Each structure stands twice: as C-alpha cells, then as structure tokens.
Amino acid sequence: MAATSHSLQWMTVTMTATLRTLITLPRMLRHGAAVGAHLPPDASVVLDPPTPELRTALTAAYAGDHAPARDLLAATRLGAEWERRGGYVPRLAESALHSPGWLDAWLAESPRDPDALLVKAEHRVQQAWEIRTGARASDVSPDQFRAFFALLDDAVPVISAATELNPTDPVPWQVALTHARGSQAPRAVFDAYWAEATARAPHHYGCHLSALQYLCDKWYGSHEEMFDFAERAAAEALPGSKLNALPLLAAVEYDVVADGAPSEGGGPIDRSRIHAALRRAQELSDAYPHDDPEVAGVRNHLALMLILADRHGEALEQFRAVGVHATEYPWAYLGDARGEFLDFRAGVRMQVAARVPFFSRPKPYESQAGPSAVSPSSPSVPYCLALVAAPPHAVVDAALMCGVPLRIAPAPGRSSYVELAADPDPGVRATLLGEDRLTSAADNITTGEPWPALILRRTGDRWGFTLLQGGKKVADHNWDPAAPVPDHATVTATAAALAEAYGVKDTRPLTNLLRGSDAPARRQSALVAALGLPPIPPGFGTRDEILTTLPDAQILARRGFLAGILDTLSGDPAGRPPLPRRRRWWALRITALLLFTPVTAYAWWSPDIGWLRASLSTIATCYVAGQLAGAWRRRRGRVGKG
C-alpha cells in the first residue's frame, strides 16, 4: 500500500509539473523577449571588473611597472580609506601570484614601504591557499598540507612587519584573520586579532568578512554563532554600510554552501532570520544607484537568495541593478561563476515572463537611474565579428535557422565576414540564445559543416576570440591587460585547436601570441594573419555594423524556426540575399529532375506502383522543377540588371 501511495504521489507531482509547463510555455514564448529587455547583453558581463583606478594599476603591474600600484595604495593610506584599501590589496596580491616581478622590484626599491609589505603579506597567504586549493580537507594531499602550512609560517613575519610599519591600518589585521583560519589558530588567537582589527576600524567590511568565515560551521564556529555575529554587526552598522549585508552572506553560507544542514549539536536556523537578512540587504541595495560596483557583491548574493526563495520578480530587479558587474561569489559555489550568473539571469527572465497573463503585457521597466543596459559610449559595450571559412552563399544556406538577422560580406580566400544586423524587435529565440548572439549564430552556421568560424570580440580594452567547429566551441581566449595570462597548458591547448582547425603546422607563433596581454589589438590581428584568415576590416571594435562599408555586403533576414526549416528544405530565397547559386546546386537538381521525370512517368504508366507512390514522385518532380525554374528566373533577372 505504501508503494502504491508513493507511486500515486509521484504521478500527481509529474502531472502537475507537466500541466504547469504547458500553461506557462506560451507565456514564456510571448513575453520572454520583453521581460528584462533592458538588461545588458551577455557579452558585456565581466566577472569582478576592477574599478578604473585599480585596473590602471593592475595593467601596469602585469607590464612590470609597480608605480601605479604604489601610488594607489599610498593614497588610501594617507587618506585613511581603509575600505578601498582592503579591496585593492587582495587584487594586487593576486596579480603578484602570476607576475611577481613588479612586487619584487617594489620591495627591492623600498624594502620598508608599508604598502609593499602589506601586498607581500597578502601574497604569501594567497600563495599558500593556491597550493592547498579550496577543496575539502579530505581531498587535500599531505604534501599539499605541508607546503600550505610552511608558506603560512613564512607569512607571519611579513604580516607582523606590515602591522608595525602602519599601526593605524586595519588591513594587515584583515590578512591576519585570513591567516588564522588557514593556520588553524585557536579561538584565543582569533579573538586577539579581532580586537586589534576593531580597535582600528570598528566597522571595516573586509575584516568582518574574514571573521565571518572563521566563525562559520565549515571552519571553527557554527551556524548559530555565524548568524549571531553577522546580525550584531549589521545592527551596529552605519546607514549605507555594507555590513548591513553581513546576515545575507551568512544566509548564503547556510543555504547554499552548507545546504541548510544543522550544525553538529545544534538545530536549524529559523527561516525568519533568513527573511530578515533579505529585507536588510534589499534596503541596502535600494540606497545605491544601479551599476554601482561598490555593492555589486551584495546584489549578486541577494539575487541568488531571492531566486531560491521563488521571488523571481525581485531577483530580476537585482540583476538590473547589477548591470555588467557579476561577481565570482556566490556563483562559483554552483559551478563556472560567469556561466552560472548568465544562466540564472536568463532563467529569472523566463520565470517572470511565465507569470504574465498571455493577453497582457509585461510591466514597463522604470528606473530613476535609467535602464541598466550598456550605452553605446560605455567601455563595456561588446563588439563582435565572425570570420567564416566559407563563401557567402554557403554561409547563407547554413544560417537560415540561426534566428537573428546577419550581415554577410565576401572576404578574400573564399571566406566571409559575418556580423549581427540591427534588430529593433528581437524574437524570443534571440532572447533565449544565451552568450552573445553572433556566437550562437556561428554555432548554427558550423553545425554539420566542414568549415570553422572564428568569433572576434572587443569589450573596452579586452580583446579575444572564440573558435567554433562542428557546432561546438573548441577554443576560447581573452587578451586582458589587467588579468593574468592563462597558464602554459591552457595556451598550448588553444594553439593546438587553432592549428588543427586551420591547417597550421607550426603552433609556436600562435602560442607566443597567446602568451601575453600587452597590445591586445595587435595580438588579435597578428593571430588572424598567422591562421591565414582575411584581414580584420578597419574600424572593428570602434563601432557597430562595420560591414556596411564593404562592397556586396547583404543582409540575411531573421526568420522563425519553422520558416527556417522550410527555407532550408525548399531553398526558397525569400528574405535572403540574392546570391548566385553554386554549380553543385544546379548539377544536383538537374540530375534529380532527369531522374525523377522518367520515374514519375513510369509510376503512372505501371499498374503495380499505386496512386500514392506515383503522387509522391510527381510532387518531388514538380518541387525540383519549381526550384530550377525560380532560380533560372532570378538568374536572368540579375543578368538583365547587370
């Protein structure tokens, strides 16, 4: 009886879910394009983008110049801007992990500089954590642990020197709190560090964040202790302080990381505390303008928690407020951070669209700060161009079902340039494509075809490419002057994929171009030349629709999914550029007509064939004859106009 009851319950749940899908799917299809239309495009979204002044320092650091970083941190020290300082130091230390020369030069020049020693202290701690990794203790080898603790021991005198050289600075104690967590320091040591940090800056966000991790259940505290700490800090916080979001971070730690599991010896956290954390974080988010990077981390955490609470409309508002400023956490808890951010954002749009009545319209988006979409003058606006190793008529035939309008222009070497054409009213498929629409279109163009497509990108001073072949993404690379260069193994694999796709025998020039981030525009152009591809058209990366200036550039109009299938099967050129047919096309159809015509005559003459098969052969013959007649008329029309 119990098994029968469970079976009936499962069937009821399944039928309910199926019915809900049938009801909501038409709403998603109707309203999906309108809901969230003001969100910035996927290609504009950057993970943890640095502020302009930090980006300048990072770019110089990767180029070997420590002066901008020195000046930036000196300004925060002299101005007692401890919050900014607490955010800058970890990013600069991370750059030193991948390019240590600039920090070594700084210390050689000024061995007692408090800013240089502070970055070195954070660098030593990060170096240790990089060896340990973020895996569970059971998955870390004994050799990793030995190296981890040895590097943490080496960090102690550097942290001590940083605290002594700038006694009023709380940021060395932020580093010390992180060190305490890794070195398994007892509670008395943690409490002493915490007292030193709060004596210098009672409301320092970075120090509170480090302390929260020490006190969480997965380290040395419990869920209850973590929430008590976070709620107490928020209650004492100043208006507008990010400490008001500390209970939200505790809620993410509890609901997402620990999956709501009770602490050992303790019970579950009351849900009212989670709801209160969300309310407080929403009030904090509302106090800041849209696209403000200062609270981007808060808004990313808040969006995820609202989704988990099935409050998709409010989550969509947070995604609008986030704009292009995705953050690594909380999304890295779920997988690839940027990919998870984009997937959750698209899912929220569809959930909101599903709740709009079919014959209604989504509520127009209104914001006192204006839409959060990227303006044409923004340095975050993305520019994309595809280089397809096939002539335009072949690209047209392959792109009929891509769902977006394309501008296609012939390029040297029987290749094609392809870009997105203006589309003031994109369809639902364009909304659901994900990533950037040109990459999704290239996915269609290369599916089942022998040729590859290279998608070139530029967003601000970041340049890159994506290689697609056989409808799959086989390589991806970015030249970002403010980010670490990919490791040698990754670059080697990317160069090998490019060489295989384009028949390049020597991968060393490709590897050299990928193993650096200086002069990214030059590196991108040089890579295209090394692959034997046509040159990048002038103006790429500075304005949209650069192919309008090229001769013979024509637009392939967007069509619906069913229309794309019919056009693919029929060869109907309605809405397609009037490009000439290939010789192979003519040969195949003439051969088919010569074959179908006698077969049809025999089918109607022979009494054994039957009327059904005779009718089918007649339809096939008429279909091929119609294709040939239409193509011949269009060919004569082009000749006449010429």
Side-chain angles (χ1 to χ4, degrees):
M1 290 295 292
T4 303
S5 175
H6 286 304
S7 178
L8 289 173
Q9 185 179 12
W10 180 84
M11 290 177 61
T12 301
V13 171
T14 303
M15 291 177 64
T16 301
T18 303
L19 182 61
R20 184 183 297 114
T21 301
L22 292 174
I23 292 173
T24 59
L25 183 59
R27 298 177 183 175
M28 292 183 188
L29 296 176
R30 177 173 170 80
H31 304 304
V35 170
H38 294 284
L39 292 170
D42 289 2
S44 299
V45 173
V46 181
L47 201 63
D48 290 320
T51 60
E53 59 272 17
L54 177 59
R55 184 169 184 82
T56 299
L58 290 171
T59 301
Y62 282 116
D65 181 9
H66 65 270
R70 179 196 62 205
D71 296 343
L72 181 67
L73 290 184
T76 63
R77 172 168 47 85
L78 296 174
E81 297 174 333
W82 306 130
E83 292 290 1
R84 291 176 60 207
R85 187 176 177 84
Y88 291 161
V89 167
R91 298 295 295 270
L92 290 167
E94 182 185 10
S95 77
L97 282 177
H98 305 279
S99 180
W102 67 271
L103 182 56
D104 293 340
W106 186 5
L107 285 166
E109 177 186 287
S110 307
R112 299 290 291 171
D113 188 315
D115 303 325
L117 280 170
L118 178 57
V119 175
K120 186 63 177 180
E122 174 69 20
H123 170 256
R124 285 276 175 88
V125 174
Q126 287 191 18
Q127 211 172 20
W129 280 101
E130 187 177 48
I131 290 175
R132 184 204 181 277
T133 75
R136 294 179 180 273
S138 57
D139 298 325
V140 180
S141 70
D143 287 343
Q144 284 177 291
F145 267 125
R146 279 192 290 271
F148 174 61
F149 290 123
L151 284 170
L152 287 179
D153 288 344
D154 292 343
V156 172
V158 188
I159 297 173
S160 298
T163 62
E164 293 167 2
L165 288 172
N166 195 21
T168 61
D169 187 357
V171 181
W173 298 102
Q174 173 183 320
V175 180
L177 288 165
T178 304
H179 183 278
R181 173 160 50 93
S183 62
Q184 301 178 0
R187 181 59 63 91
V189 172
F190 168 80
D191 290 340
Y193 289 170
W194 178 245
E196 295 285 357
T198 52
R200 289 159 175 78
H203 306 293
H204 190 267
Y205 180 70
C207 291
H208 279 78
L209 212 55
S210 293
L212 186 76
Q213 282 296 303
Y214 184 95
L215 296 172
C216 73
D217 180 65
K218 71 184 178 187
W219 289 107
Y220 310 112
S222 66
H223 296 321
E224 186 71 28
E225 187 174 17
M226 174 183 66
F227 268 92
D228 288 345
F229 172 79
E231 290 166 351
R232 185 167 57 251
E236 298 171 356
L238 301 173
S241 168
K242 287 192 293 182
L243 289 183
N244 287 287
L246 215 59
L248 171 70
L249 303 187
V252 170
E253 182 70 35
Y254 176 71
D255 266 352
V256 179
V257 181
D259 198 21
S263 298
E264 186 175 332
I269 296 298
D270 191 282
R271 298 308 298 181
S272 63
R273 302 175 79 172
I274 307 290
H275 299 322
L278 294 182
R279 284 195 302 273
R280 189 185 288 270
Q282 282 182 304
E283 292 172 0
L284 176 64
S285 176
D286 292 343
Y288 283 79
H290 281 198
D291 294 316
D292 192 330
E294 181 69 19
V295 288
V298 174
R299 286 169 169 161
N300 278 260
H301 283 79
L302 181 55
L304 176 59
M305 290 300 293
L306 289 169
I307 293 170
L308 297 181
D310 199 28
R311 294 160 62 177
H312 296 98
E314 296 166 87
L316 182 61
E317 290 302 317
Q318 292 306 315
F319 279 119
R320 285 187 176 121
V322 165
V324 301
H325 299 98
T327 55
E328 182 177 5
Y329 290 99
W331 311 108
Y333 292 133
L334 309 172
D336 172 66
R338 185 174 180 275
E340 293 293 338
F341 174 90
L342 296 175
D343 289 345
F344 272 87
R345 191 178 70 163
V348 163
R349 293 181 65 176
M350 292 302 104
Q351 287 292 335
V352 173
R355 298 181 184 185
V356 179
F358 186 81
F359 293 106
S360 298
R361 290 290 181 184
K363 183 180 178 181
Y365 171 60
E366 297 178 359
S367 170
Q368 59 183 8
S372 62
V374 179
S375 66
S377 61
S378 169
S380 296
V381 66
Y383 298 97
C384 297
L385 175 72
L387 303 180
V388 184
H393 57 260
V395 175
V396 168
D397 288 340
L400 287 173
M401 295 169 58
C402 69
V404 293
L406 299 174
R407 180 175 286 102
I408 303 170
R414 289 182 58 79
S415 296
S416 302
Y417 298 117
V418 182
E419 69 180 4
L420 290 177
D423 192 8
D425 185 23
V428 176
R429 287 187 63 210
T431 304
L432 299 175
L433 282 177
E435 278 299 327
D436 65 87
R437 295 174 185 175
L438 186 58
T439 301
S440 299
D443 184 294
N444 279 271
I445 292 171
T446 59
T447 297
E449 303 291 353
W451 55 72
L454 191 71
I455 315 299
L456 305 178
R457 299 186 303 272
R458 183 206 171 176
T459 307
D461 61 351
R462 296 181 297 274
W463 302 70
F465 66 82
T466 299
L467 174 66
L468 291 103
Q469 192 165 26
K472 296 180 180 178
K473 184 187 295 186
V474 296
D476 194 78
H477 184 81
N478 286 295
W479 289 283
D480 185 349
V485 174
D487 60 77
H488 184 73
T490 301
V491 167
T492 301
T494 302
L498 290 167
E500 182 178 359
Y502 293 101
V504 176
K505 295 182 179 180
D506 187 1
T507 62
R508 288 174 296 178
L510 305 180
T511 303
N512 290 336
L513 289 170
L514 299 174
R515 282 290 291 167
S517 292
D518 59 301
R522 178 188 60 79
R523 288 179 179 272
Q524 187 184 67
S525 297
L527 180 81
V528 168
L531 295 174
L533 295 174
I536 302 174
F540 172 65
T542 60
R543 57 185 177 84
D544 289 326
E545 301 187 88
I546 59 169
L547 300 185
T548 54
T549 59
L550 297 186
D552 300 323
Q554 301 187 56
I555 291 179
L556 174 66
R558 171 171 59 86
R559 61 214 345 102
F561 182 71
L562 293 177
I565 293 177
L566 292 174
D567 287 355
T568 302
L569 294 175
S570 67
D572 180 7
R576 296 161 62 180
L579 297 171
R581 294 292 186 184
R582 291 170 288 177
R583 291 182 179 180
R584 186 179 65 177
W585 186 93
W586 288 99
L588 288 174
R589 279 153 183 78
I590 291 173
T591 303
L593 184 62
L594 293 175
L595 176 64
F596 288 163
T597 300
V599 169
T600 301
Y602 177 77
W604 285 111
W605 175 79
S606 174
D608 299 327
I609 299 298
W611 67 270
L612 178 60
R613 283 182 286 181
S615 298
L616 291 175
S617 64
T618 302
I619 292 171
T621 303
C622 293
Y623 167 69
V624 175
Q627 279 193 314
L628 286 167
W632 181 253
R633 284 196 303 272
R634 288 186 293 276
R635 184 175 183 275
R636 288 179 63 84
R638 284 194 299 272
V639 172
K641 291 177 182 178

